[in-house]
Amino acid sequence: MKEISIITVTYNSKDYIGEAFRALEAPCKDGIVEWIVVDNASQDDTADFISKEFPWIEVIKSEENLGFGRGNNLGVRHSQAPYILFLNPDAVIDMPTIECMLTFMKENPKAGITAPAIIEPEGTLQPWFLFPTPLRIFIRAIGLDRLFKQMFYINPGSLPQLVECVGGAVFTVRRDVFEELSGFDPKFFLYWEETDLCLRATQNGWEIWTIGEAVARHTNAVSAKTHNKPMFAGCISEHFFRSRYYYLQKHYGKLHAWLTETVELILLFIYSLAGRLTNRSFKYKLRERLSGTLYKLPEDVQ
């Protein structure tokens, strides 16, 4: 019986996805793992490449770019196992790491979502996050997130830790939890959908855990960089800020979403002016914020 379903959404991923498949070829062929790839209308023949080189992978070819959440929802509907691993095409994980997360979840029935420690090519670690709030966005805008931390790195080998929110590159969720939450909110095209999922899971009484003894590798934002669009913190600015605005509206209301964007712009303008007058450079710059959208929701929820 298949123990876990891996769901991967691809977009122009042909050049780097093979490493992930080779790392789990044996358990897939042995029937322990099922792997479903949803290809979001790639222009580099990703889907055909996978079907030819890795025939034990199930490939679903979408005629349009569904985005991250909708693509993963489609993959889940074609899967069967009681646990689901969402794995970015530029991430690599092995079976012992998967088994480590599954063992923890089986021993802790309230653990709805788990994530491993994730190492990037330069040796940097990916973090877990506090849930974003208007106040926390203001704190970041003025650079006080160094004093009031919002991100905490998952150190390889560390003990399991109860956290608020994990990133979407690699994480495992119980099928029952995913179905209870009706999956990813399809209104998020890209970014913030995993934050929304973690928040809704927590609100329903489920726990989010990091498992430091489980370690995966991830090359961040490979697909995003193929677009040649303005970027913010490794994300495509346009989608990042549209999704953030929707997240704020959904969980804090329209007024708070509008005020958050407005106050953030004012704070960034003040800091930008202060930086010019004092010859200082701040981490979060006004021009980076202006590279994204303002006061706009994803197109399908206008």
Side-chain angles (χ1 to χ4, degrees), residues 129-133 136 164-165 195 198-199 202 208 247 252:
F129 308 85
L130 298 179
F131 286 121
T133 65
R136 287 171 178 164
E164 290 195 9
C165 177
T195 307
C198 287
L199 180 56
T202 301
I208 317 296
Y247 173 89
Y252 295 97

Side-chain angles (χ1 to χ4, degrees), residues 278-292:
T278 60
N279 254 352
R280 293 181 62 190
S281 177
F282 296 101
K283 179 180 177 182
Y284 187 11
K285 300 178 177 64
L286 178 63
R287 66 172 179 271
E288 293 177 347
R289 176 62 190 91
L290 294 177
S291 72

Side-chain angles (χ1 to χ4, degrees), residues 204-246:
N204 279 25
W206 296 100
E207 296 173 350
I208 317 296
W209 287 82
T210 59
I211 314 296
E213 294 174 342
V215 182
R217 291 184 286 119
H218 179 224
T219 304
N220 193 28
V222 173
S223 291
K225 291 174 182 175
T226 66
H227 289 269
N228 294 318
K229 293 182 178 181
M231 303 284 286
F232 172 81
C235 303
I236 300 172
S237 297
E238 173 189 1
H239 296 305
F240 179 88
F241 288 108
R242 280 182 184 268
S243 292
R244 191 187 74 171
Y245 196 59
Y246 172 57

Side-chain angles (χ1 to χ4, degrees), residues 52-300:
K52 179 181 178 181
E53 299 294 328
F54 308 95
W56 34 273
I57 302 291
E58 180 180 348
V59 179
I60 301 171
K61 298 174 70 172
S62 174
E63 295 182 358
E64 62 175 316
N65 190 340
L66 300 173
F68 182 84
R70 289 174 61 199
N72 275 307
N73 286 346
L74 176 59
V76 170
R77 291 198 294 271
H78 284 77
S79 68
Q80 300 176 357
Y83 295 91
I84 303 163
L85 170 65
F86 295 105
L87 187 71
N88 275 15
D90 54 355
V92 179
I93 195 170
D94 58 24
M95 198 60 203
T97 296
I98 293 174
E99 289 173 341
C100 184
M101 289 191 289
L102 292 183
T103 297
F104 181 86
M105 297 180 83
K106 291 173 183 177
E107 294 175 351
N108 296 271
K110 294 303 291 181
I113 296 173
T114 61
I118 302 174
I119 304 175
E120 296 180 343
E122 304 81 7
T124 54
L125 303 175
Q126 291 194 19
W128 66 269
F129 308 85
L130 298 179
F131 286 121
T133 65
L135 178 59
R136 287 171 178 164
I137 290 172
F138 301 154
I139 287 172
R140 181 175 183 181
I142 59 178
L144 290 180
D145 51 331
R146 295 179 181 180
L147 296 176
F148 303 96
K149 292 184 65 175
Q150 301 180 36
M151 300 190 307
F152 304 85
Y153 293 105
I154 310 168
N155 292 304
S158 60
L159 294 174
Q161 183 176 3
L162 182 64
V163 302
E164 290 195 9
C165 177
V166 296
V170 187
F171 72 95
T172 302
V173 60
R174 296 179 188 273
R175 177 177 296 277
D176 290 347
V177 174
F178 197 74
E179 293 178 349
E180 177 184 316
L181 300 173
S182 299
F184 289 111
D185 184 337
K187 295 177 182 178
F188 292 98
F189 179 79
L190 190 61
Y191 312 125
W192 292 79
E193 58 280 286
E194 77 271 31
T195 307
D196 172 73
L197 187 77
C198 287
L199 180 56
R200 290 187 289 123
T202 301
Q203 290 171 341
N204 279 25
W206 296 100
E207 296 173 350
I208 317 296
W209 287 82
T210 59
I211 314 296
E213 294 174 342
V215 182
R217 291 184 286 119
H218 179 224
T219 304
N220 193 28
V222 173
S223 291
K225 291 174 182 175
T226 66
H227 289 269
N228 294 318
K229 293 182 178 181
M231 303 284 286
F232 172 81
C235 303
I236 300 172
S237 297
E238 173 189 1
H239 296 305
F240 179 88
F241 288 108
R242 280 182 184 268
S243 292
R244 191 187 74 171
Y245 196 59
Y246 172 57
Y247 173 89
L248 290 168
Q249 278 206 16
K250 179 177 181 179
H251 294 290
Y252 295 97
K254 292 183 178 180
L255 178 60
H256 281 87
W258 184 88
L259 285 173
T260 299
E261 297 240 317
T262 301
V263 174
E264 180 189 50
L265 287 170
I266 294 171
L267 291 173
L268 288 174
F269 176 78
I270 294 171
Y271 263 65
S272 177
L273 182 61
R276 290 191 177 189
L277 293 175
T278 60
N279 254 352
R280 293 181 62 190
S281 177
F282 296 101
K283 179 180 177 182
Y284 187 11
K285 300 178 177 64
L286 178 63
R287 66 172 179 271
E288 293 177 347
R289 176 62 190 91
L290 294 177
S291 72
T293 57
L294 298 171
Y295 308 106
K296 288 187 178 180
L297 296 170
E299 292 181 358
D300 61 345

Side-chain angles (χ1 to χ4, degrees), residues 10-31:
T10 57
Y11 181 79
N12 293 342
S13 309
K14 176 182 175 181
D15 291 341
Y16 52 85
I17 196 172
E19 185 179 2
F21 294 144
R22 285 186 283 271
L24 291 171
E25 181 173 357
C28 285
K29 288 183 174 179
D30 290 342

